[in-house]
Amino acid sequence: METNRIPFLDLVTPHRELKDELTAVFEHALETAGFIGGPMVEDFERTFGRYCDTQHCVGVGSGTDALRFALMAAGVGHDDAVITVPNTFIATAEAISQCGALPRFVDVDKRTYNMDVNGLAAYLADECFRNDSNGKLVDEQTGRRVKAVVPVHLYGQMADMDPILELAERYNLLVIEDACQAHGAEYFSRRDNRCKQAGSMGRAGAFSFYPGKNLGACGEAGAVTTNDAELAQKVRMLRDHGQAQKYYHEMEGFNGRLDSIQAGILGIKLRHLTAWNERRRECASRYRELLGAASEVIQLPIEPSWSKAVFHLYVVQVQNREQLQKHLGEAGIGTGIHYPIPLHLQKAYENLGYRQGDFPVSEEAASHILSLPMFPGLTYAQQDRIAQLVLDFVNGETVRIPKSTPRGSVMTSIGS
Ligand SMILES: Cc1ncc(COP(=O)(O)O)c(C=O)c1O
């Protein structure tokens, strides 16, 4: 029996390491009965806002809440269309629909798997028109007003935000970043000649703190980041039944608050996020060293010069993905597929009228991508073993990896 298992994600070890601090959060909540709102939520909002370089951060119940509330607070609603990508988790599109708007997709870039800015430009130029009477942009096929664009910073790498923001300015679109997989990811803006944080570039950013994220709670949690005080205030009301003052409801809202135990836990983990992200980057460059010899057969993640990715996932692309997954699985290596069916081909979105072939890059990716183990505690020895199995699979026994080198040392070649 295989005993040398390597999980896709190790969530147990970091919680074991932080057990005393995390338990103290529970104890504090029990002693004060402060379960909803209060100082732990406010402290976390302040610190995470600072981390993302935004003036406001509003804790909410999940990443889906964050997206939905951000869109609603920005004024997206019935009769609107919102542009996003098909290669994402369904929550991106759910949030759009749940505001009453219609998701419209543009394909992703085949190198980064994020929104293809040329595709976005082509959609806006060729598939939309300006309404003569009010100047608003309308999606030709559905007659809906195109109100916003939601770039997704998938797998921990930001979408190419400069051209997206330029197009948004030209066409008067709101930009809401889906940063649910991108805590701490950075983008070098050529426009502003400086690095910017995920969640700080659009009108608002939406984060998920689902346990497996780079910054994960011990349950459900999310946050909206923004520099727009009015939008932040609306999100605060939307998360709390439309009230700013207890029992005075200015509108209908939701029960979408961030609970204080989760906020306390997130505050503790946030202190480690920079180091954890650095470890993920180190693991990514180690994979690149180890697998570089097979890069003709396996497409490794590509990090453009403007991107500093935080590798929420390490996604490779290979023709015979199912066999590789089986080969790794039999050796005890956990893998994942993010995501096997692009949203435009999901049953849930049959009503949108898209067909196979509409978004070829997303479709191609969906059938060939495989996520290898990626987490801060992944060791060099574990990566050696994973890479050797991958190389054995693609090259037979022809490419061998030298014995594990200590963490931090640089490997220059992987020749036999
Ligand atoms: C890209 C993306 N958007 C939105 C979400 C939704 O976040 P949550 O599960 O916290 O609602 C996720 C979560 O997996 C995600 O990966």
Side-chain angles (χ1 to χ4, degrees):
M1 200 186 76
E2 179 56 61
T3 51
N4 196 7
R5 306 190 85 78
I6 303 174
F8 173 61
L9 167 65
D10 176 10
L11 268 186
V12 174
T13 308
H15 290 105
R16 216 175 259 153
E17 285 169 0
L18 296 174
K19 192 169 170 192
D20 290 345
E21 285 173 272
L22 298 180
T23 312
V25 170
F26 282 97
E27 282 167 358
H28 179 72
L30 292 179
E31 274 158 25
T32 57
F35 300 115
I36 305 289
M40 287 205 283
V41 172
E42 286 154 22
D43 284 353
F44 173 69
E45 288 176 336
R46 217 171 6 256
T47 351
F48 192 66
R50 211 178 302 136
Y51 181 87
C52 296
D53 201 20
T54 58
Q55 285 162 25
H56 311 276
C57 167
V58 185
V60 296
S62 66
T64 314
D65 275 353
L67 279 166
R68 189 174 41 208
F69 298 166
L71 286 163
M72 285 177 153
V76 172
H78 290 276
D79 302 329
D80 292 333
V82 175
I83 309 161
T84 191
V85 287
N87 181 39
T88 179
F89 182 57
I90 191 170
T92 315
E94 281 176 332
I96 294 169
S97 313
Q98 289 165 9
C99 298
L102 203 65
R104 300 299 291 157
F105 297 122
V106 298
D107 211 346
V108 295
D109 174 80
K110 65 162 139 295
R111 295 168 78 242
T112 62
Y113 305 110
N114 280 332
M115 184 173 277
D116 174 8
V117 292
N118 295 321
L120 176 63
Y123 165 76
L124 292 168
D126 305 338
E127 296 181 47
C128 300
F129 65 92
R130 272 194 204 282
N131 182 320
D132 285 341
S133 58
N134 58 19
K136 289 178 178 165
L137 191 72
V138 177
D139 174 74
E140 221 164 62
Q141 204 175 327
T142 61
R144 298 271 191 131
R145 174 183 176 187
V146 184
K147 184 82 168 269
V149 54
V150 180
V152 183
H153 305 324
L154 204 69
Y155 309 149
Q157 170 150 278
M158 287 180 71
D160 193 359
M161 289 301 287
D162 277 349
I164 292 173
L165 289 169
E166 272 160 27
L167 286 165
E169 280 158 25
R170 195 181 320 151
Y171 288 92
N172 196 21
L173 303 172
L174 294 157
V175 179
I176 305 293
E177 295 169 70
D178 183 338
C180 286
Q181 299 191 2
H183 319 70
E186 289 178 23
Y187 177 85
F188 181 78
S189 166
R190 288 82 90 197
R191 301 202 315 169
D192 299 342
N193 197 29
R194 69 178 180 93
C195 273
K196 298 202 161 180
Q197 293 289 120
S200 73
M201 294 191 74
R203 180 70 68 87
F207 288 88
S208 163
F209 303 120
Y210 184 75
K213 301 295 196 222
N214 289 29
L215 178 63
C218 295
E220 304 281 357
V224 174
T225 51
T226 183
N227 287 316
D228 180 335
E230 203 182 313
L231 186 143
Q233 181 54 20
K234 279 195 188 142
V235 173
R236 272 187 207 103
M237 289 172 64
L238 282 167
R239 74 174 172 183
D240 195 16
H241 300 289
Q243 60 187 357
Q245 191 190 346
K246 208 167 174 65
Y247 303 134
Y248 290 79
H249 306 275
E250 291 179 32
M251 58 187 176
E252 263 194 4
F254 298 83
N255 178 352
R257 297 169 295 237
L258 169 62
D259 79 57
S260 20
I261 291 175
Q262 299 307 338
I265 284 167
L266 287 165
I268 285 165
K269 289 189 177 183
L270 182 55
R271 296 178 204 147
H272 302 270
L273 182 58
T274 303
W276 286 340
N277 281 344
E278 275 310 313
R279 265 300 292 143
R280 285 174 182 270
R281 288 183 56 75
E282 207 184 327
C283 291
S285 60
R286 173 103 177 129
Y287 269 136
R288 176 158 285 284
E289 287 161 12
L290 297 174
L291 296 172
S295 61
E296 303 257 302
V297 186
I298 299 189
Q299 183 184 316
L300 303 177
I302 292 166
E303 202 181 6
S305 57
W306 41 258
S307 165
K308 189 170 176 196
V310 290
F311 292 94
H312 172 56
L313 296 168
Y314 191 85
V315 177
V316 300
Q317 201 172 156
V318 61
Q319 279 309 307
N320 36 9
R321 182 259 312 276
E322 265 71 32
Q323 290 98 307
L324 177 58
Q325 185 171 40
K326 183 161 174 281
H327 174 72
L328 292 173
E330 282 166 1
I333 313 292
T335 54
I337 297 173
H338 303 90
Y339 297 90
I341 302 178
L343 294 187
H344 67 290
L345 300 178
Q346 293 280 359
K347 193 167 187 320
Y349 290 123
E350 265 171 10
N351 64 319
L352 297 182
Y354 290 109
R355 286 193 308 265
Q356 183 94 31
D358 282 347
F359 302 108
V361 181
S362 295
E363 291 168 25
E364 171 76 10
S367 31
H368 298 117
I369 44 178
L370 186 66
S371 308
L372 300 181
M374 170 54 83
F375 50 91
L378 191 63
T379 66
Y380 271 17
Q382 287 175 319
Q383 286 195 280
D384 287 350
R385 187 159 162 260
I386 296 162
Q388 187 63 65
L389 283 157
V390 173
L391 295 177
D392 286 349
F393 179 77
V394 294
N395 293 343
E397 289 290 324
T398 54
V399 184
R400 292 227 65 84
I401 297 174
K403 279 259 170 296
S404 179
T405 44
R407 256 187 205 176
S409 66
V410 178
M411 284 193 60
T412 50
S413 82
I414 67 159
S416 56

